[in-house]
Amino acid sequence: MKRLLILEDGTVFEGKAFGAAVNVVGEVVFTTSMTGYQETITDQSFNGQIITFTYPMVGNYGVNRDDYESISPTCKGVVVKEHARLASNWRAQMTLDEFLKRKGIPGISGIDTRALTRKLRSVGTMKAAFVDADDDLTHEFDQLKATVLPKNQVAQVSTTKPYPSPGIGRNVVVVDFGLKHSILRELSKRQCNLTVLPYNTTAETILELSPDGVMLTNGPGDPKDVPEALEMIQAIQGKVPIFGICLGHQLFALANGADTYKMKFGHRGLNHPVKEIATGRIDFTSQNHGYAVNETTVDPEKLFITHVEVNDGSVEGVRHRQYPAFTVQYHPDAAPGPHDGLHLFDEFMELMDAWKEQD
């Protein structure tokens, strides 16, 4: 069955349909990951987005029970060059096609993903839609151009009620802006006793739990669409150690007077080199974000930049000068991706222990 991918600039790609038989509208982006498509699709940071995989074959090892980053993915669609209909891996429970059908996510295969990626790199990410081959394209383009993409993305993916992930060690509050399960996994490996709270939780609620530390998680969309988080961060910093990842990093920077901006096509993939300024150490990192912290707006009396992206020089990490708080733009939890950044979870443990000793 034919399916079309249309872009708001008038471009049309024709391919074959797989996954769910639905038409969707979203922001089309690309990821350079060579593996880990299950983790990518189930990462809530892709909320509302149509994911283009630059790697030519996707789906060859199926979908399994261990690699979910969320149970209910909210990306809009999947674009691939070649869709592997058979899954050959001992862990596979279903094919990618079956998985997408169950989750209500459409896919398109057989298009020139290199041409699409080059367009996104030169023009920037844009609105796109999956439509049927026999649809009235003039009408579909009018509909696409008129569509306003939602701004409440974090509210769509954050938990609505607090829940625990019991452990026997340090008490950590996890503020869920669209978390990946791998963040909880890494904290649990370190015996942390976790309490996961909604994105709009107040500082008072957090501090009443007497946490040893607070994790600000990843999530989708523009950090400026989550103003309530800034008040919370301002009220807890200095009272409890903080570790922020991805959107959590951007929100922490905003709360301390910095500004953020929308990138042309963002960072999405597993091969982004990041330099730690103090040591010169290079980590290859997993990234998924379309916004970044503006370096020129970072107040040197409050924050100092700890990491930069080697390719484009963008800000990849900050630390507070007075308070026990640090953040990174990339995903040290990986999943998928290199594990170079896992040491940051250990640094968070050390930060919490040092803070307790001061009390």
Side-chain angles (χ1 to χ4, degrees), residues 308-328:
V308 294
E309 218 271 7
V310 173
N311 291 323
D312 62 14
S314 58
V315 176
E316 288 284 339
V318 298
R319 186 178 289 267
H320 205 286
R321 289 195 179 275
Q322 284 84 39
Y323 305 140
F326 70 99
T327 65
V328 290

Side-chain angles (χ1 to χ4, degrees), residues 7-9 11 116-126 263-265:
L7 310 185
E8 63 177 307
D9 70 349
T11 305
L116 174 56
T117 300
R118 287 171 67 89
K119 176 175 285 290
L120 297 179
R121 283 182 61 89
S122 62
V123 179
T125 58
M126 64 184 85
M263 306 173 80
K264 189 173 183 181
F265 49 83

Side-chain angles (χ1 to χ4, degrees), residues 37-172:
Y37 54 81
Q38 181 179 342
E39 294 95 327
T40 298
I41 292 169
T42 58
D43 181 351
Q44 296 289 12
S45 294
F46 281 106
N47 171 269
Q49 295 178 330
I50 296 172
I51 308 169
T52 303
F53 288 90
T54 61
Y55 192 70
M57 176 181 281
V58 175
N60 54 313
Y61 56 84
V63 172
N64 67 78
R65 70 176 188 177
D66 298 325
D67 293 339
Y68 288 95
E69 287 303 312
S70 68
I71 299 302
S72 301
T74 58
C75 67
K76 286 293 188 178
V78 173
V79 181
V80 302
K81 175 69 174 74
E82 182 178 353
H83 161 238
R85 292 175 294 169
L86 297 178
S88 55
N89 184 275
W90 65 274
R91 295 196 305 160
Q93 294 179 303
M94 67 187 84
T95 66
L96 177 60
D97 180 53
E98 291 170 336
F99 171 71
L100 293 179
K101 281 184 167 71
R102 291 187 185 192
K103 299 302 181 180
I105 299 171
I108 185 172
S109 66
I111 77 164
D112 188 344
T113 51
R114 289 193 300 177
L116 174 56
T117 300
R118 287 171 67 89
K119 176 175 285 290
L120 297 179
R121 283 182 61 89
S122 62
V123 179
T125 58
M126 64 184 85
K127 290 186 292 185
F130 283 177
V131 300
D132 295 330
D134 55 356
D135 286 345
D136 179 352
L137 284 186
T138 301
H139 173 72
E140 294 297 340
F141 274 116
D142 288 342
Q143 291 288 99
L144 175 60
K145 291 174 183 176
T147 299
V148 177
L149 298 179
K151 294 285 190 179
N152 63 334
Q153 291 175 272
V154 170
Q156 292 178 37
V157 298
S158 173
T159 184
T160 57
K161 295 181 179 179
Y163 64 89
S165 180
I168 58 173
R170 305 166 186 87
N171 290 307
V172 177

Side-chain angles (χ1 to χ4, degrees), residues 140-206:
E140 294 297 340
F141 274 116
D142 288 342
Q143 291 288 99
L144 175 60
K145 291 174 183 176
T147 299
V148 177
L149 298 179
K151 294 285 190 179
N152 63 334
Q153 291 175 272
V154 170
Q156 292 178 37
V157 298
S158 173
T159 184
T160 57
K161 295 181 179 179
Y163 64 89
S165 180
I168 58 173
R170 305 166 186 87
N171 290 307
V172 177
V173 163
V174 179
V175 183
D176 176 17
F177 298 108
L179 64 79
K180 293 171 63 182
H181 288 179
S182 51
I183 293 176
L184 302 182
R185 195 176 301 126
E186 290 301 326
L187 293 171
S188 294
K189 281 181 185 176
R190 292 158 178 80
Q191 285 81 50
C192 292
N193 181 55
L194 307 178
T195 305
V196 182
L197 300 179
Y199 78 97
N200 54 358
T201 299
T202 64
E204 291 75 17
T205 299
I206 293 173

Side-chain angles (χ1 to χ4, degrees), residues 193-239:
N193 181 55
L194 307 178
T195 305
V196 182
L197 300 179
Y199 78 97
N200 54 358
T201 299
T202 64
E204 291 75 17
T205 299
I206 293 173
L207 296 175
E208 283 173 2
L209 294 171
S210 300
D212 296 318
V214 174
M215 166 65 74
L216 307 175
T217 77
N218 65 292
D222 186 344
K224 293 177 182 176
D225 292 336
V226 199
E228 52 268 74
L230 307 187
E231 296 179 18
M232 177 270 291
I233 294 169
Q234 290 165 351
I236 67 170
Q237 64 183 11
K239 299 175 183 176

Side-chain angles (χ1 to χ4, degrees), residues 216 242-245 248-250 252-253 306-307 316-319 325-329:
L216 307 175
I242 296 172
F243 179 19
I245 292 174
H249 155 81
Q250 298 163 12
F252 181 78
T306 57
H307 297 76
E316 288 284 339
V318 298
R319 186 178 289 267
F326 70 99
T327 65
V328 290
Q329 179 62 77

